[in-house]
Amino acid sequence: MIRPADPGDAPAIAAIWNRIIRETIVTFTTAEKAPEDIARSISGGQPWHVADEGEVLGFVTAFQFRGGPGYAHTFEHSVHVAETAQGRGHGRALMAALEADLRAHGVHSLFAGVSGENAGGIAFHASLGYREAARLREVGWKFGRWHDLVLMQKML
């Protein structure tokens, strides 16, 4: 079941996200997410959805692509599914819910920032209609080396 997240989901979201931060190049950040910061973001009106089967198995959120009113209709998203729940359709369902939510709020363009080494993430987004808009060479530093960032875009 996909539903809007509530602040009580923040510890489960943080657990999923922080494992990805610690162990993978899916995201280039090395700063783990604090549940209280996630709860504040959920309470603050940023769109968040979770896949819930009695426990949170994945999440998606979105935020304005760049600051300023000229970018008010262009967003970037972050979607992650727990390692044990991958391949069961949660990512697709989360993205469908987010895209419908953003469309209803006048968002025109949605970006995914995908690690160039994340072939699965690139294929996932391509299967949802995202197309590569740019490849930024060696912009992410993690695990002692440089990584490319692939920007993928979908018009909503």
Side-chain angles (χ1 to χ4, degrees):
M1 174 180 82
I2 305 301
R3 62 171 175 78
D6 65 60
D9 297 320
I13 292 169
I16 293 168
W17 213 343
N18 288 335
R19 186 203 64 79
I20 291 165
I21 290 168
R22 282 189 307 273
E23 300 175 12
T24 77
I25 51 84
V26 169
T27 178
F28 300 151
T29 189
T30 57
E32 293 193 23
K33 307 295 183 179
E36 48 279 1
D37 292 338
I38 294 169
R40 218 176 352 270
S41 176
I42 293 168
S43 295
Q46 184 174 329
W48 286 85
H49 299 275
V50 294
D52 184 345
E53 289 184 359
E55 65 178 309
V56 172
L57 299 175
F59 69 92
V60 66
T61 187
F63 42 89
Q64 190 171 313
F65 181 66
R66 295 187 72 177
Y71 293 99
H73 302 283
T74 300
F75 272 56
E76 182 176 351
H77 72 272
S78 189
V79 59
H80 299 292
V81 175
E83 190 173 31
T84 57
Q86 291 180 359
R88 297 179 10 205
H90 297 304
R92 287 182 180 284
L94 285 163
M95 289 303 299
L98 177 70
E99 289 175 5
D101 185 9
L102 294 176
R103 249 186 234 101
H105 287 91
V107 173
H108 175 68
S109 175
L110 186 57
F111 277 93
V114 185
S115 167
E117 294 180 33
N118 184 0
I122 292 169
F124 169 75
H125 283 89
S127 75
L128 297 176
Y130 288 77
R131 299 294 169 247
E132 186 171 326
R135 180 176 289 264
L136 307 177
R137 314 281 302 156
E138 298 184 0
V139 297
W141 178 262
K142 191 171 184 180
F143 300 141
R145 58 193 171 90
W146 291 106
H147 304 274
D148 293 353
L149 177 66
V150 177
L151 291 178
M152 299 183 76
Q153 183 182 25
K154 181 176 182 178
M155 307 311 277
L156 299 181

